Structure formats: structure tokens, C-alpha cells
């Protein structure tokens, strides 16, 4: 189990306006808990010791909120001066992430585990000799709030390739495990993780791990109510059990 994670929380949250005019998207609450705390609680439950969280939009609010966290230990990666996109943010934070494989989580998606916790599943599925990147993926019927198409097609070995229009496949579910060697020689300019996904796929080294449970993405204000409905339904099932 990796002991370190990166939580991507620096985005502008434009699709969540007008809420994000005054509140950073990771501090939007679902069922009484902020999106960033959904991510950090998942890491804490998995035993991850340190989470690097990048901040940009309304960064003072983010820092004030995160100062109250005790587990995992939160380290701020400050992008106030320049928003670096997903890969760029990770590259800036590499000195704080260490030399071993680490998790990357999005701060605008979360999930409700079913059976073995999904971060444990991801860690068990990781094979650094065969893989450059391992993505947690979800089927359409596990997803709430997803308005797009599928992202990848996964073969029987778990290897991923980009889905073409009309193909059935899986959705990238906002959690990754990878080795920092992937970014050797990378520049400091803004850049997306999608370029690294494509490079890994071209080399046959992009893999997926199908998650268990419910995956929830909160991209727009109208996605909040469906997300809270799923959380409430799972809570009722837990109480009944």
C-alpha cells in the first residue's frame, strides 16, 4: 500500500458556477462532507500517511480548511501563481511525493466501497514491471453524475486503450497508482495526465482495475442532489444490514 498520495484540487471549477464563484470546488459539500474530505478520508482509511494537495482557486479557503486535518498529514503544493493542469501539478509536487509508487486522486469525484476497499484493490493489482499507470475504472451502471461517454476499452488482462466512438467500455474513475519514474525528464510547463495515459497505452503499459461499489462525480450544481441520493441510499442499506 503506497504511503503517499496526490490529491488534485487546484482546478477552477468553472462548470460548478455560480457556487465556485465564492467556494473552491473541493469544498463543495456532499451529504455534509466536502469533496476534498471524501478523498482524504478514503486515503486515511487505507492507511496512507501523507497527502499532497495542490491549491490555486480561492487557495486561502483551501489552506484554512485543510489545516484542520490530522490524518492523513496534508502537505500543500501552492499553485497560486500558475495553474499547472493535472500532470503539471503532480510534477511540481514530486519532491514531496517520494521515490515509491503513489496514488493520485481527483478532488471532484469519490466512491462508496463495496467489499474490499478500492485503494487496497488498486494496490494489490499494481505491477510495476508490467505497468506504467494503473487506473481505477468503473462501469456505466456504477456511475452517478457522469454525462459523457466511456473512456477506455479494457482487455481480459486489464490493458486499456482509448475507446472509439460507439464502443462500449469503462470510465476512468478518478484514482491512479503510478511510479514517479514516469515523469523523468518532464518539463515544468502546464500539462495534462491524458498525454501520459496515451503514451502508456501506446506502449501497452496502461492498465485498469475495475472498482467495486458506487462511483460519484460532481461536475455541475445539478449533480449534487443525485450524489447525495446515492450516499443516503447506501446509508439506509448499511443501517438495515
Amino acid at each position: 500500500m503506497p504511503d503517499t498520495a496526490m490529491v488534485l484540487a487546484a482546478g477552477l471549477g468553472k462548470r460548478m458556477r455560480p457556487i465556485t464563484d465564492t467556494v473552491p470546488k473541493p469544498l463543495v459539500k456532499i451529504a455534509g462532507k466536502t469533496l476534498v474530505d471524501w478523498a482524504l478520508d478514503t486515503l486515511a482509511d487505507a492507511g496512507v500517511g501523507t497527502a499532497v494537495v495542490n491549491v490555486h482557486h480561492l487557495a486561502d479557503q483551501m489552506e484554512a480548511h485543510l489545516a484542520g486535518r490530522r490524518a492523513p498529514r496534508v502537505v500543500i503544493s501552492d499553485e497560486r501563481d500558475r495553474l499547472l493542469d493535472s500532470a503539471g501539478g503532480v510534477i511540481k509536487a514530486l519532491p514531496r511525493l517520494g521515490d515509491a509508487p503513489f496514488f493520485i486522486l481527483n478532488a471532484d469525484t469519490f466512491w462508496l466501497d463495496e467489499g474490499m476497499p478500492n485503494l487496497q484493490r488498486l494496490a494489490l493489482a499494481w505491477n510495476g514491471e508490467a505497468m506504467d499507470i494503473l487506473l481505477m475504472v468503473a462501469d456505466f451502471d456504477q456511475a452517478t453524475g457522469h454525462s459523457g461517454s466511456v473512456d477506455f476499452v479494457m482487455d481480459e488482462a486489464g490493458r486499456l486503450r482509448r475507446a472509439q466512438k460507439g464502443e462500449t467500455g469503462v470510465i476512468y474513475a478518478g484514482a491512479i497508482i503510478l511510479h514517479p519514474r514516469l515523469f523523468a525528464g518532464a518539463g515544468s510547463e502546464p500539462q495534462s495526465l491524458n498525454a501520459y495515459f496515451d503514451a502508456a497505452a501506446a506502449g501497452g503499459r496502461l492498465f485498469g482495475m475495475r472498482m467495486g461499489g458506487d462511483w460519484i462525480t460532481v461536475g455541475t450544481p445539478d449533480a449534487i442532489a443525485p450524489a447525495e441520493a446515492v450516499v443516503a441510499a447506501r446509508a439506509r442499506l448499511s443501517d438495515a444490514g
Side-chain angles (χ1 to χ4, degrees), residues 125-151:
W126 169 252
N127 177 356
E129 293 185 2
M131 303 172 180
D132 284 340
I133 303 174
L134 177 63
L135 305 180
M136 187 174 82
V137 297
D139 293 321
F140 250 105
D141 61 5
Q142 295 175 284
T144 297
H146 181 70
S147 58
S149 58
V150 299
D151 299 306

Side-chain angles (χ1 to χ4, degrees), residues 31 110 134 169 192:
F110 66 98
L134 177 63
S192 172

